[in-house]
Amino acid sequence: MQSTNISILFLIIYVAGIIAVGIWNRKSESSEDFFLASRKLPAWLLAVTFIASWWGGGSAIDLVDHAHRNGISSFWIYGVPVLIATALLFLFARGIRNIGSISQPQLMEQRYNSTVSLLLTVFIIIFMVIAATVQVIVVGKFFQAFFDLSYQTGAIIGTLIVLTYSLFGGFKGVVLTDLLQFLFFLFTAVFLFYTAYTQSGGMEAVKMTALANNKSGYTSFFSDVSDNLAYVITFGTSWMIQANIWQRISAAKKSTDARKMMIISFLAFIPLYLMVTYTGMFASVFYESVPKSGIVPNMISNISNPLISALLFVGLSAAIMSTMDSLINTGALSLTLDIYKEYINPRASAAHNVTIGRISTFIIGAIALLIALEIKSVLTIAWIGSDFLTSGAFIPLILGFLWARGTATAATISMLFGLVFSSYNLLVALGAPLPVAWEIASVTQALIGISISLILYVGFSFITKTDLEKSRSFIRKANILNRTYD
């Protein structure tokens, strides 16, 4: 009881602090100010908010549990896709920043047309809502386990906290609170890693436990890699084009800062994801099976020192919420700039668009909460959310930077296929009695989706007209290869 009371007190202090940061940064005079912090943030700070966006609730809870069951090869579920996506983003960061658009759909309108831009907006909003839903589910279950609340109450409280400071501060508020949240969670992760290591007796004890439980390949990095390839393909490609990360690249002062951000993040992700993975492996020595609430919440609630337990609780809450606020903010950006400003009120003033941005923030968070109150499964819905981007948006986005012959018509057809394909798979995953020739959330499904998308894009590009001067101008402006053009 004492630990719970202290945790509530620390949570109140923490929430008051991040809301104060949000209110302090509430003044936003334009959409660029509200969504990109006027492009004045340094590379190291953008790297921190980038890391906080991906090294969040999924890593803190889900990867530890997977590593407990499957060992070091669980790094392939989250760690490898993150490293692949970050490496690809390093290659494209210069081009994304050089284009200089505020949102991803604005960038695609420069490359193709308004139809492609609108379709991409649909994909982004779908992905952001589903991804934010995952974080609402995680925070709801965590609060349920720690405070003995109902899942619904925990989900509502967590979402309201995030919405409060996101509504006030916009992107700058999200970035600054991400910094605070990252430091909290880093302390939590290091402490739990050390605790698990000391309690387990180290790797020798892990190997002996795995041998006793007949878990062959538990300490082999390449054990059963094929089982995780679906996550590598789908998460790696979809995260590379994730709009909230492109938002951070666009917020960099210049293209060199955007690339520095990627280098810092790549180097940081390796030890961070390995630390989380090894925490789960060490826990296999003193947890025979994964507790219902998950290993990390269980470890935190069982710490005898109430102050330490409360600090770790706030740290894990911070990790979950830092991911959620990033997703909600980017979904709101798409609603505001790519739907409202583009199609509903193009003449709206800058101040009016900031107000709409805050309303959009509330809408995205509210929809995510409503879905989370009905669906409590994390991994499958997260994978299918990523599948929308992989099947529908990856090929037109990436080839748009590289191939001048790619046409707007081809991009539209490729994206429409991805929308239908992913929606069909989502319905099957939710239990609709529809025929399907592949296993849902499998390598086969991932390869079919991205392959057909590529074939449609390339094929229709050769048989439809394109404005070569427009596409070449876009590619020259992006200048990914840093060439000098005459």
Side-chain angles (χ1 to χ4, degrees):
M1 179 61 71
Q2 183 183 9
S3 176
T4 300
N5 291 335
I6 295 175
S7 297
I8 293 173
L9 176 62
F10 278 15
L11 183 62
I12 292 172
I13 294 172
Y14 169 76
V15 171
I18 57 179
I19 289 176
V21 171
I23 294 174
W24 181 55
N25 288 284
R26 71 187 182 278
K27 185 179 180 181
S28 299
E29 297 178 352
S30 67
S31 297
E32 185 173 291
D33 190 16
F34 186 77
F35 288 114
L36 296 182
S38 300
R39 305 187 199 267
K40 294 180 180 179
L41 300 176
W44 69 266
L45 184 55
L46 287 171
V48 169
T49 187
F50 174 25
I51 294 166
S53 296
W54 279 356
W55 193 55
S59 302
I61 296 177
D62 204 38
L63 183 54
V64 171
D65 295 345
H66 281 288
H68 174 279
R69 289 187 287 261
N70 303 314
I72 188 65
S73 65
S74 299
F75 187 82
W76 287 81
I77 297 175
Y78 291 106
V80 171
V82 160
L83 294 177
I84 290 173
T86 307
L88 289 172
L89 280 166
F90 172 79
L91 299 177
F92 282 83
R94 177 187 286 116
I96 296 168
R97 180 60 187 87
N98 283 345
I99 294 299
S101 62
I102 295 179
S103 73
Q104 216 175 39
Q106 286 180 349
L107 182 148
M108 281 294 95
E109 183 167 3
Q110 290 188 48
R111 173 59 179 86
Y112 297 111
N113 59 23
S114 58
T115 301
V116 176
S117 173
L118 178 59
L119 280 171
L120 182 57
T121 301
V122 172
F123 280 113
I124 290 171
I125 293 173
I126 290 173
F127 176 83
M128 293 302 158
V129 168
I130 291 177
T133 298
V134 170
Q135 302 307 317
V136 175
I137 293 170
V138 172
V139 77
K141 290 183 176 181
F142 182 45
F143 281 14
Q144 178 187 25
F146 203 85
F147 290 127
D148 196 26
L149 300 169
S150 69
Y151 163 76
Q152 289 78 7
T153 301
I156 291 170
I157 291 173
T159 305
L160 287 177
I161 291 171
V162 172
L163 283 178
T164 301
Y165 67 79
S166 296
L167 284 170
F168 282 113
F171 182 65
K172 188 187 292 186
V174 168
V175 168
L176 294 177
T177 51
D178 274 355
L179 174 61
L180 180 62
Q181 290 163 339
F182 172 75
L183 294 174
F184 263 116
F185 182 54
L186 183 61
F187 169 76
T188 300
V190 171
F191 185 93
L192 291 178
F193 171 80
Y194 177 76
T195 300
Y197 173 78
T198 54
Q199 281 190 252
S200 67
M203 281 305 298
E204 287 303 316
V206 170
K207 292 177 181 177
M208 291 177 61
T209 302
L211 186 64
N213 292 325
N214 296 317
K215 292 184 176 181
S216 60
Y218 192 78
T219 56
S220 172
F221 186 76
F222 295 99
S223 176
D224 298 324
V225 169
S226 59
D227 294 342
N228 296 321
L229 281 181
Y231 302 110
V232 173
I233 296 169
T234 304
F235 286 158
T237 53
S238 67
W239 292 348
M240 184 263 165
I241 62 169
Q242 200 167 309
N244 57 319
I245 304 306
W246 285 40
Q247 181 185 6
R248 280 148 178 73
I249 294 173
S250 295
K253 295 179 181 178
K254 49 189 177 180
S255 60
T256 52
D257 287 327
R259 300 193 90 184
K260 286 178 185 177
M261 173 180 122
M262 291 300 119
I263 295 173
I264 295 169
S265 301
F266 185 91
L267 295 176
F269 279 136
I270 296 172
L272 291 175
Y273 275 97
L274 283 175
M275 178 169 60
V276 172
T277 304
Y278 275 108
T279 299
M281 294 173 67
F282 293 139
S284 68
V285 176
F286 49 89
Y287 281 106
E288 185 175 343
S289 60
V290 176
K292 185 178 180 181
S293 62
I295 289 172
V296 171
N298 193 272
M299 285 182 66
I300 292 174
S301 61
N302 286 332
I303 291 174
S304 58
N305 187 313
L307 288 175
I308 296 295
S309 179
L311 280 174
L312 297 182
F313 163 78
V314 173
L316 186 56
S317 300
I320 300 167
M321 291 188 288
S322 69
T323 302
M324 193 194 308
D325 64 32
S326 171
L327 297 165
I328 290 173
N329 183 263
T330 305
L333 183 153
S334 289
L335 270 181
T336 302
L337 297 186
D338 304 312
I339 298 292
Y340 183 82
K341 188 175 185 298
E342 185 70 21
Y343 297 100
I344 299 175
N345 192 358
R347 298 181 179 180
S349 66
H352 181 73
N353 285 333
V354 171
T355 300
I356 297 301
R358 293 193 168 103
I359 295 172
S360 298
T361 298
F362 178 81
I363 290 172
I364 295 293
I367 293 174
L369 175 61
L370 290 174
I371 296 173
L373 293 178
E374 296 298 325
I375 304 174
K376 301 178 185 179
S377 175
V378 172
L379 191 57
T380 298
I381 193 172
W383 192 92
I384 291 179
S386 296
D387 186 48
F388 273 93
L389 290 184
T390 298
S391 300
F394 182 77
I395 295 300
L397 271 171
I398 298 308
L399 291 189
F401 280 93
L402 303 174
W403 191 37
R405 187 67 184 82
T407 69
T409 301
T412 300
I413 293 171
S414 176
M415 295 173 81
L416 285 173
F417 158 76
L419 183 61
V420 172
F421 180 78
S422 300
S423 299
Y424 189 92
N425 291 321
L426 176 59
L427 290 174
V428 174
L430 294 175
L434 299 171
V436 65
W438 51 83
E439 182 183 350
I440 296 299
S442 66
V443 175
T444 302
Q445 179 187 326
L447 291 176
I448 288 173
I450 199 169
S451 297
I452 295 179
S453 177
L454 175 61
I455 292 169
L456 290 172
Y457 182 84
V458 173
F460 278 93
S461 289
F462 280 121
I463 63 175
T464 55
K465 292 183 179 181
T466 184
D467 185 345
L468 278 176
E469 183 53 39
K470 179 181 179 181
S471 57
R472 285 170 178 166
S473 175
F474 177 90
I475 292 172
R476 282 196 298 268
K477 184 178 181 181
N479 197 15
I480 288 176
L481 300 178
N482 198 27
R483 292 175 176 172
T484 301
Y485 294 90
D486 295 329

